[in-house]
Every structure is written in C-alpha cells, then in structure tokens.
Amino acid sequence: MSRIGKLPIPLPEGVTATLSGQTLEVKGPKATKSFTATDDVTITIGEGEITITPRGKSKRARQQWGMTRSVVANVVHGTNATFKKDLEIRGVGYRAQLQGNVLKLNLGLSHDVDFVIPEGVTVTVPKATEISVEGTDKQLVGQVASDIRDWRRPEPYKGKGIRYKDEYIFQKEGKKK
C-alpha cells in the first residue's frame, strides 16, 4: 500500500475542485490549474478533501497512485500559494542582475549569459549574489532554477558557482606539495 497515495489532500479555504472524467480542475485565489490523471487511478472529491485510489492491483496502477497524489497536492498548493527556490552565487566577480524579462549573469565566462525568464515564473534578484525563483507551478519553478544553476554548477575544490541556498557542497582537498 502506498504511504503517500493513501493520504487525502485537504482543500484549503477559498480553493474549489471540480472533476470531469479524469481531468481535475482546481481554482484558487492565486491561479486556476488543471491536471489529467491516467486511467490507472480514480480521483474522488469529498467534503474538503481529494482522495486518489488505484484501479486494480497492477504495478503500473500502484506507481501512478503515489505520483498522481503528489502532483494533485502540488496543484492544490499552487492555486493557494507559490513555490520558491533560492539560488546563491559564489565566486569572485560572479553576479546577477535583472533587466526586464532577462536575467543577466556574469559567471566568469568570456561573455555574459542572458537567461530569458519564461511565463508563469517570477525571478527577483534581492542582492547581486542571490536569485529567487517563484511561481505557482512546482515543476516549472524547479526547472527554471535548475536551468539557471546549469550555467555554472558549483565546483568541488573552491565551491565557486551557482548553488541552491540550502545545498551543501562537499569540498575536496587540493593537490599536496
């Protein structure tokens, strides 16, 4: 039995959910989102909560059960609040600045990196060495943060690069003389 899948998803105040077939539409104060589930699970809306149950005992149905529950929980949370990822830039001369819809990154390369911010995501730069990515779609926020981080991943000797705020980078020892 799925430990994640069997948990009901509570609907916060001001959030409503409607079901038509396998498509769940959730409306909240921040956004309106929809999710289409596979035929391996059954979605039911009760009083103030959504439950997901598998159809049958096949391996695929049990896999989809927990995954569908997690995605629906993220959709419900995204309609009521935002998801946030904080990035930190470390390195001499490394910095970021926001110019309209473009994030300009100086990362020690021969050129500046111009990262175009996609729709549905808000990027802010509180300091030159901090980047904050926010949005109502958890997958999109994580993908944008990962794409920004990919321009200069933290290296293991000096720790220079772009890292998540709570990320720990294991420092390797350099050459011995």
Side-chain angles (χ1 to χ4, degrees):
M1 180 174 244
S2 174
R3 294 181 186 186
I4 294 170
K6 68 182 178 182
L7 299 172
I9 303 159
L11 288 172
E13 292 260 340
V15 176
T16 58
T18 56
L19 185 67
S20 63
Q22 286 294 94
T23 302
L24 178 72
E25 188 173 329
V26 183
K27 292 180 183 177
K30 297 256 185 207
T32 300
K33 299 211 165 274
S34 65
F35 170 71
T36 305
T38 61
D39 291 330
D40 298 314
V41 294
T42 304
I43 300 173
T44 54
I45 300 172
E47 277 192 37
E49 66 181 23
I50 301 171
T51 54
I52 288 108
T53 53
R55 290 184 185 167
K57 297 192 182 257
S58 67
K59 183 176 182 178
R60 179 171 163 77
R62 288 182 285 124
Q63 290 170 340
Q64 293 294 319
W65 184 20
M67 194 265 323
T68 302
R69 193 260 177 216
S70 295
V71 172
V72 170
N74 289 337
V75 166
V76 169
H77 183 272
T79 59
N80 195 33
T82 57
F83 293 97
K84 185 176 182 179
K85 288 262 187 189
D86 290 324
L87 298 166
E88 185 177 80
I89 302 174
R90 287 207 185 154
V92 177
Y94 290 11
R95 63 184 170 274
Q97 57 183 326
L98 198 59
Q99 292 180 346
N101 198 30
V102 176
L103 180 68
K104 284 196 164 294
L105 300 168
N106 287 355
L107 300 172
L109 302 171
S110 63
H111 60 284
D112 290 350
V113 175
D114 291 339
F115 183 81
V116 179
I117 301 163
E119 277 189 44
V121 176
T122 306
V123 176
T124 56
V125 182
K127 285 196 236 171
T129 58
E130 291 179 7
I131 302 169
S132 180
V133 182
E134 285 187 77
T136 58
D137 187 356
K138 186 174 185 176
Q139 190 274 332
L140 186 61
V141 168
Q143 186 65 51
V144 169
S146 177
D147 290 345
I148 292 170
R149 184 178 181 266
D150 280 343
W151 280 102
R152 186 67 96 178
R153 289 184 169 267
E155 55 98 15
Y157 293 100
K158 293 183 180 178
K160 292 167 46 169
I162 302 174
R163 63 176 77 188
Y164 296 111
K165 194 88 163 193
D166 57 351
E167 184 178 15
Y168 173 75
I169 305 299
F170 178 74
Q171 297 275 312
K172 291 183 179 179
E173 190 175 337
K175 280 188 192 177
K176 298 208 176 183
K177 289 186 178 185

